[in-house]
Amino acid sequence: MTRLALSAALALALVLALLLGAAGPALADEAPPEPPATTEFRSAPEPAANDFEALLASCDQKLTRCEKENGVGYLGAAYIAIWVILLVFFVATRMKQARLVAEMQELRARLAKLTEERAG
Amino acid sequence: MSPSLPTTAARRPLVWMPYLLGAGLVASLVFVFFVAPTELKMGEVQRIFYFHVASATAALVGFIGCALASLAYLVLRMMRGYEVLARVADRLAVSFGEVGVLFGLIVLITGPLWAKPAWNTFWTWEPRLVLMLLTVFLFVGYLVLRGYAKTDDLGKRLAAGIAVIGGPAVYLIHVAVEMWGGNHPQVMTGQGGGLEPGPMRTTFALSLASLCLFAGYLVWQRYQHHRLVEQVDDAYLTLSDLEEQP
């Protein structure tokens, strides 16, 4: 039963991977062209104070970035979400574990008492 | 049978671990906001990248760990004399699965929060996003089935089968943009300039290391938790056996 389930699972996974691999490029050919994916992240340069041309270019870039500055709220929300999720998970696990340890200690005490009674 | 507690002494060497890992995470956060420069085109919101990609890496490692441990469980449970190892593999699979889903959830929350200012939409049905969503659903399904099965052998086997199927999905997520297109940034895996050397790379390396180590610690915590649950169940069984004896 397990062997059959295991073989079926592996075969299905393999077939799915092959199908997706074969169909993918064909589907991509028919799709309308998309904007290219970003492949690099570069820091914004800080021009020298006497380089007016660079200062003007920097202003243009800053203006473009300003259109996206509303992203600061999303940035804050993202980092708050990350920390809340991690903290809740960590604290919940620790609390459950502490409760289990206490339960286990109580069970051990009960077992010891029962064994003692039986022996006596 | 006398149930034994995992002793506090056994856990003592790792008591300092959460503090160290917490300090690592805080240091990463300081680097993200105060050391890493503002990105040229995307601006401030690009700072989501550091924890988003690190979380995705932790999630994918969790899914691979779950799939491999499930495979090990399915194989070991059929071999005579390896029952203990099979239980270890089963516990490991659940622990990896839980942590994978946790970080997958973080990716699915931070991704749209980055997409809105960058692409002007919270969600787009591009291959990598869809595959990630489906993979997280698949492993949530695994956890639900595994939690429902508890000690039932058939349920455990079926859940393990689902996890094994989820393994190849991780590879597909990795190659999704190259194979099927999409405008998901390809900074780490693409052929472009990549991440700028200096503070950007340092910040990313620190975030990746601290989040992955924290994920590893969470897997260990969850493993200990599942071991304790099994021991408590065993202790109840022993107690009821003793109480029923005349």
Side-chain angles (χ1 to χ4, degrees):
Chain A
M1 174 68 189
T2 313
R3 270 184 207 162
L4 189 68
L6 184 61
S7 313
L10 284 173
L12 186 65
L14 196 67
V15 168
L16 269 175
L18 287 173
L19 276 177
L20 288 168
L27 287 173
D29 288 343
E30 287 164 18
E34 286 175 335
T38 309
T39 55
E40 63 175 1
F41 285 142
R42 288 279 169 272
S43 58
E46 289 299 327
N50 57 354
D51 187 354
F52 296 112
E53 211 166 295
L55 271 172
L56 276 174
S58 163
C59 282
D60 277 350
Q61 284 161 1
K62 277 181 183 163
L63 276 174
T64 315
R65 280 212 309 274
C66 272
E67 290 169 9
K68 294 178 176 176
E69 286 307 307
N70 59 350
V72 173
Y74 293 109
L75 175 68
Y79 274 93
I80 288 169
I82 291 169
W83 281 82
V84 167
I85 290 171
L86 289 181
L87 273 176
V88 166
F89 186 83
F90 177 70
V91 171
T93 300
R94 292 295 288 248
M95 280 168 72
K96 271 187 205 164
Q97 208 157 341
R99 207 176 57 220
L100 279 170
V101 168
E103 195 177 348
M104 193 72 206
Q105 274 167 348
E106 190 197 316
L107 282 171
R108 281 174 81 185
R110 275 172 66 187
L111 266 175
K113 196 179 162 191
L114 204 64
T115 317
E116 222 171 78
E117 278 173 12
R118 292 286 158 93
Chain B
M1 183 183 68
S2 169
S4 61
L5 260 177
T7 59
T8 47
R11 290 196 303 271
R12 205 165 286 149
L14 289 170
V15 161
W16 47 268
M17 197 63 117
Y19 300 104
L20 188 73
L21 294 172
L25 286 173
V26 171
S28 308
L29 206 60
V30 170
F31 266 67
V32 166
F33 285 100
F34 300 105
V35 177
T38 307
E39 210 273 329
L40 181 65
K41 289 175 189 159
M42 288 194 188
E44 296 293 339
V45 78
Q46 182 268 344
R47 291 177 202 275
I48 292 179
F49 161 83
Y50 300 106
F51 270 52
H52 175 77
V53 177
S55 299
T57 308
L60 297 187
V61 169
F63 295 149
I64 291 172
C66 180
L68 290 178
S70 295
L71 189 65
Y73 165 72
L74 287 174
V75 172
L76 288 169
R77 63 171 294 285
M78 291 187 293
M79 295 162 70
R80 200 169 288 167
Y82 287 90
E83 292 81 9
V84 177
L85 267 181
R87 281 178 82 173
V88 168
D90 179 45
R91 273 183 236 137
L92 258 181
V94 182
S95 310
F96 270 117
E98 286 169 339
V99 173
V101 167
L102 177 85
F103 281 94
L105 189 69
I106 289 176
V107 173
L108 290 176
I109 290 173
T110 55
L113 286 170
W114 187 7
K116 179 65 180 163
W119 296 341
N120 204 26
T121 178
F122 281 111
W123 187 262
T124 166
W125 295 101
E126 70 136 44
R128 183 173 277 176
L129 270 63
V130 177
L131 273 173
M132 187 70 193
L133 181 71
L134 291 179
T135 308
V136 170
F137 280 164
L138 190 78
F139 280 92
V140 168
Y142 160 78
L143 289 178
V144 170
L145 185 58
R146 182 61 191 78
Y148 184 72
K150 287 197 176 168
T151 52
D152 178 61
D153 195 46
L154 180 63
K156 281 161 88 169
R157 275 184 284 157
L158 285 174
I162 289 177
V164 172
I165 291 173
V170 174
Y171 172 71
L172 292 176
I173 291 171
H174 184 67
V175 297
V177 181
E178 288 139 56
M179 284 177 84
W180 302 298
N183 52 356
H184 204 102
Q186 283 282 80
V187 178
M188 304 313 297
T189 52
Q191 302 297 314
L195 203 59
E196 185 182 78
M200 272 190 176
R201 275 196 193 173
T202 312
T203 306
F204 178 66
L206 187 63
S207 306
L208 186 68
S210 61
L211 261 186
C212 286
L213 284 173
F214 187 65
Y217 176 73
L218 286 179
V219 169
W220 181 80
Q221 279 277 310
R222 294 306 296 171
Y223 180 86
Q224 293 296 326
H225 172 82
H226 294 301
R227 199 160 72 108
L228 253 176
V229 170
E230 282 178 18
Q231 284 177 335
V232 167
D233 288 347
D234 286 349
Y236 272 118
L237 278 176
T238 313
L239 202 62
S240 68
D241 282 352
L242 270 175
E243 280 170 349
E244 277 171 17
Q245 276 174 19

